C-alpha cells in the first residue's frame, strides 16, 4: 500500500498545546504516534511524509525512522 501523511511533529512539545493534542508529554505522544503508525503501516508499505515530521536533531530523526514500519519518503 501507499500512504500519505504530514504533521506528526515527533518530539515537538509545544505542538501538544498549540494543536490541543491529548497527551501529557512528548514521550506519550511519540509512543502513541509510533504505535498507531505501526498498527496500520506494514514493512513493505510506502509512506510519503509531506512535512513537519519532527522537531529534533538528525540523529533522533534516524532513530524515530527505525521505530516506524514502511519505507518513508
Amino acid at each position: 500500500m501507499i500512504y500519505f501523511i504530514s504533521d506528526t511533529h515527533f518530539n515537538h512539545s509545544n505542538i501538544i498545546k498549540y494543536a490541543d493534542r491529548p497527551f501529557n508529554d512528548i514521550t506519550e505522544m511519540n509512543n502513541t504516534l509510533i504505535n498507531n503508525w505501526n498498527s496500520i503501516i506494514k514493512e513493505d508499505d510506502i509512506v510519503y511524509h509531506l512535512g513537519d515530521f519532527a522537531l529534533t536533531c538528525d540523529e533522533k530523526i534516524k532513530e524515530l525512522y527505525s521505530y516506524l514500519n514502511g519505507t518513508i519518503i
Side-chain angles (χ1 to χ4, degrees):
M1 295 282 300
I2 297 174
Y3 295 92
F4 295 86
I5 190 170
S6 69
D7 299 302
T8 46
H9 290 272
F10 286 102
N11 273 29
H12 185 182
S13 60
N14 285 331
I15 200 67
I16 295 169
K17 177 179 62 175
Y18 297 155
D20 197 29
R21 291 187 177 190
F23 306 109
N24 294 314
D25 55 38
I26 60 171
T27 301
E28 180 185 3
M29 181 179 74
N30 287 351
N31 289 336
T32 300
L33 290 172
I34 291 166
N35 290 334
N36 288 349
W37 178 296
N38 289 336
S39 74
I40 301 294
I41 307 299
K42 305 304 174 212
E43 286 297 329
D44 59 342
D45 292 336
I46 297 172
V47 181
Y48 288 91
H49 199 292
L50 305 179
D52 292 329
F53 178 77
L55 183 64
T56 190
C57 65
D58 288 345
E59 291 167 9
K60 184 66 176 174
I61 288 173
K62 289 177 187 175
E63 181 183 340
L64 287 164
Y65 278 168
S66 75
Y67 301 141
L68 299 169
N69 290 341
T71 299
I72 303 169
I73 298 172

